[in-house]
Amino acid sequence: MTVITKARRYMLLLFFFILIATGNGLSSSLEPGWVLVWADEFDGAGLPTPAWWTFETEGNQWGWGNNEAQFYTDSRLANARVEDGRLIITARAEPMGDKEYTSARINTRKIGGWRYGRFEARMRLPSGRGIWPAFWMLPVDNFYGGWPSGGEIDIMEFFGFMPDNIYCTIHTSAYNHRRGTQKGSHLKVRNLHDEYHLYAVEWFPDRLNFYVDDEKVFSYEKTEDHPAVWPFDQHFYAILNCAVGGDWCYRMGGIGDTSFPQNLEVDYVRVYQWNDGNPHTLLVTTTEGGRVSYEKKAAYAPGEEVRLRAEADPGYKFLYWSGGLSTVHEKETTMMMFHDTAVKAHFVPEAEMLKNGDFELELLAWNRWVDAEAAAAEFSTDQGALRVDVNRPGKHDWQVQVTQAVPLAKGKTYTVSFAAWARRRRQITVRINQNHPPYAAYAYQAFTIDKEKKIYNFTVTIDKDDADSRLEFDFGEGRGPVWLDNVSMRKETE
Ligand SMILES: [Ca+2]
Ligand SMILES: [Ca+2]
């Protein structure tokens, strides 16, 4: 379920007012326009609710980009448990994998994320050098590419080597810590470890305001209508974790003799949407191949729930939503009207294996990679097509590549087609290959493309089963911009 039902919401609201009435540590200054749409009060016992929370472990191999010292476990009570009305994430000094510490990192991505709203968590923080708890947000769909292009919202970060300081930060492709240009601020807060404090961000279409309790720490404004500056127009999900170590920590003297275990205690996470009191319009469109049924109205009351059901025509399948719903949302879903909203349902022919082959959703579903020691390239979308600017060609075509994962079945025939053009006549290569080392090719073909946009295709029968393979476009052998559009890969049906 993606959105809580009316009854559940009413209960939450009631609960919320009772808390205000009893003065139970809640921000008393919460403006009445905020409507609670989702919450986890952590009232149960055991693991955090599996329907809402996913344990993240895939970065254990590579240290999550910061050489972090912990091994995040999956569904292990010793590292994440709900107890006495709280979530407790525990960092422990114990070897696991090739790490010396264990901990947990959980996210709400499977709910589908939220666009705009107030996101808050009431938390009591662990302490000690090397301890790095965070409450933060990442995009559900990488429309603008991987980190940092998609954006990151750090509602609360605490670094054990900087006692009493809470950091609020945003990262985008123009402003990020890799460049040392991230935007943010910090606030001195007392009793971070003995008392609960409320950490919140209020996210509007044109600004992000960060708070600790009632105090505003930082505000980031949309100064330019460009995703490099403002990628915050997509759905984001929440993350809670307690990291240990990390590059900044090592530069500041390391983990030292901090005592373990250390607990991050979370009383609740709540998500609100802003009710501006106005009715809102809903525009529903579809691609070819299906329709959407819902109750059509000229305007919807603020907060009104609209049930949407996408239905594919014969020979087509539903792929995902875009606009007011993220691609995680099911084909039958409910949305609440807090903004004028446009939603689009995407359908493709049943035999189609690719997502976003028309680049209508920017770079969604496409992976980009450059062998940075040999070549340099930038990827963007340009008038609805993929644009690859090869600034420094490599020795090999595969040193600049765009890929999408596809499963292959032995004995099946596949047809790849695409439109391509380039500023100067050149070659590109299309490969169907392993999506894992040693990236062996099952099939490949080189194409000569020129200034004129043309459609190319090739058909191949694959002699192996491989669930983890991919379609790969290689651009590394020529300089200058290349465009790609309407990419399709279809499995021949008997
Ligand atoms: Ca609670
Ligand atoms: Ca297109």
Side-chain angles (χ1 to χ4, degrees):
M1 197 167 75
T2 55
V3 178
I4 56 179
T5 63
K6 276 202 173 95
R8 172 88 175 130
R9 189 165 84 248
Y10 177 71
M11 255 171 52
L12 288 168
L13 279 169
L14 194 67
F15 180 63
F16 168 71
F17 286 122
I18 289 168
L19 283 176
I20 284 189
T22 56
N24 194 355
L26 265 174
S27 163
S28 57
S29 61
L30 193 62
E31 293 169 78
W34 290 114
V35 178
L36 190 65
V37 294
W38 183 84
D40 195 341
E41 303 292 335
F42 301 113
D43 283 335
L47 291 170
T49 306
W52 290 341
W53 298 99
T54 302
F55 284 81
E56 292 186 36
T57 58
E58 72 279 1
N60 283 334
Q61 297 299 320
W62 41 274
W64 303 91
N66 303 296
N67 291 315
E68 294 168 31
Q70 81 290 331
F71 183 94
Y72 284 136
T73 60
D74 184 356
S75 308
R76 182 177 182 241
L77 289 170
N79 297 113
R81 67 188 190 279
V82 176
E83 186 181 284
D84 298 333
R86 310 158 291 175
L87 166 72
I88 304 169
I89 293 181
T90 305
R92 297 177 183 274
E94 54 176 348
M96 195 174 289
D98 58 348
K99 302 292 196 300
E100 295 303 313
Y101 304 88
T102 62
S103 187
R105 165 164 155 162
I106 60 174
N107 75 55
T108 64
R109 185 176 187 271
K110 70 173 74 157
I111 299 174
W114 299 274
R115 185 159 65 157
Y116 315 127
R118 178 181 161 98
F119 303 81
E120 61 178 30
R122 187 167 177 264
M123 296 185 283
R124 196 157 74 122
L125 306 186
S127 65
R129 304 187 68 83
I131 294 294
W132 179 13
F135 171 46
W136 53 302
M137 301 181 80
L138 284 175
V140 173
D141 301 312
N142 282 329
F143 267 57
Y144 304 123
W147 192 93
S149 306
E152 175 183 323
I153 302 170
D154 299 331
I155 305 168
M156 185 291 295
E157 277 185 291
F158 170 76
F159 300 92
F161 55 82
M162 300 277 276
D164 305 321
N165 279 284
I166 294 300
Y167 284 76
C168 304
T169 315
I170 62 93
H171 303 267
T172 72
S173 70
Y175 308 118
N176 63 73
H177 82 74
R178 200 180 286 158
R179 293 181 174 195
T181 54
Q182 71 272 19
K183 301 275 185 188
S185 190
H186 56 93
L187 181 74
K188 256 196 162 11
V189 185
R190 289 154 163 279
N191 297 322
L192 290 172
H193 317 295
D194 305 325
E195 293 175 0
Y196 282 87
H197 294 271
L198 189 61
Y199 303 91
V201 67
E202 292 182 357
W203 171 22
F204 300 98
D206 61 351
R207 66 192 188 283
L208 287 153
N209 295 328
F210 296 80
Y211 299 89
V212 176
D213 299 320
D214 289 339
E215 191 160 348
K216 192 195 269 186
V217 182
F218 169 57
S219 186
Y220 178 72
E221 290 186 12
K222 178 182 177 177
T223 52
E224 208 181 317
D225 192 8
H226 192 285
V229 170
W230 188 263
F232 306 112
D233 59 356
Q234 299 298 324
H235 288 77
F236 277 61
Y237 61 91
I239 305 165
L240 286 165
N241 67 288
C242 185
V244 180
D247 287 328
W248 196 16
C249 163
Y250 309 139
R251 284 199 297 276
M252 301 296 285
I255 298 164
D257 58 357
T258 293
S259 70
F260 286 87
Q262 284 289 333
N263 289 335
L264 167 64
E265 298 184 18
V266 188
D267 180 9
Y268 56 74
V269 177
R270 293 176 184 164
V271 178
Y272 306 81
Q273 293 285 305
W274 180 251
N275 175 5
D276 63 6
N278 295 321
H280 295 288
T281 57
L282 174 61
L283 175 68
V284 178
T285 56
T286 74
T287 62
E288 192 187 321
R291 63 218 126 76
V292 175
S293 42
Y294 66 105
E295 196 188 341
K296 249 176 236 166
K297 293 183 183 176
Y300 298 82
E304 185 170 349
E305 292 181 358
V306 185
R307 188 86 189 144
L308 298 158
R309 194 169 79 242
E311 293 164 280
D313 294 338
Y316 285 83
K317 61 186 177 188
F318 171 74
L319 202 54
Y320 42 60
W321 301 98
S322 67
L325 294 165
S326 70
T327 63
V328 174
H329 287 100
E330 305 279 347
K331 64 181 171 186
E332 278 196 64
T333 191
T334 302
M335 61 181 290
M336 293 166 81
M337 296 299 298
F338 287 101
H339 306 271
D340 289 350
T341 305
V343 172
K344 186 166 186 176
H346 297 253
F347 303 92
V348 288
E350 262 168 11
E352 180 58 57
M353 300 173 71
L354 300 180
K355 292 174 175 171
N356 195 31
D358 56 10
F359 300 97
E360 191 182 332
L361 303 183
E362 308 277 340
L363 298 168
L364 177 80
W366 292 98
N367 295 306
R368 302 147 312 279
W369 183 78
V370 178
D371 183 353
E373 286 176 13
E378 282 172 44
F379 306 90
S380 58
T381 51
D382 179 15
Q383 297 168 45
L386 170 72
R387 175 177 169 144
V388 183
D389 283 282
V390 182
N391 301 319
R392 182 160 57 92
K395 276 207 180 85
H396 306 286
D397 54 9
W398 51 263
Q399 286 169 327
V400 176
Q401 57 178 247
V402 171
T403 66
Q404 186 169 143
V406 289
L408 297 175
K410 186 176 176 169
K412 295 286 178 192
T413 299
Y414 300 88
T415 296
V416 175
S417 72
F418 58 95
W421 63 104
R423 188 162 291 163
R424 275 188 299 229
R425 184 181 164 86
R426 53 162 294 157
Q427 267 200 354
I428 64 173
T429 312
V430 181
R431 284 185 164 78
I432 296 172
N433 60 351
Q434 296 173 332
N435 199 16
H436 50 87
Y439 304 102
Y442 297 114
Y444 69 95
Q445 188 164 329
F447 295 88
T448 300
I449 60 172
D450 55 31
K451 270 169 115 161
E452 202 185 323
K453 178 177 177 178
K454 281 188 212 135
I455 293 164
Y456 304 85
N457 58 69
F458 81 108
T459 296
V460 65
T461 302
I462 299 293
D463 63 359
K464 266 224 172 98
D465 281 317
D466 187 351
D468 186 22
S469 48
R470 68 189 189 191
L471 175 66
E472 175 178 313
F473 288 87
D474 295 322
F475 305 95
E477 280 182 341
R479 188 181 298 273
V482 191
W483 289 266
L484 200 63
D485 201 2
N486 299 330
V487 186
S488 165
M489 180 166 171
R490 292 186 193 188
K491 189 159 122 186
E492 203 171 272
T493 49
E494 289 87 353

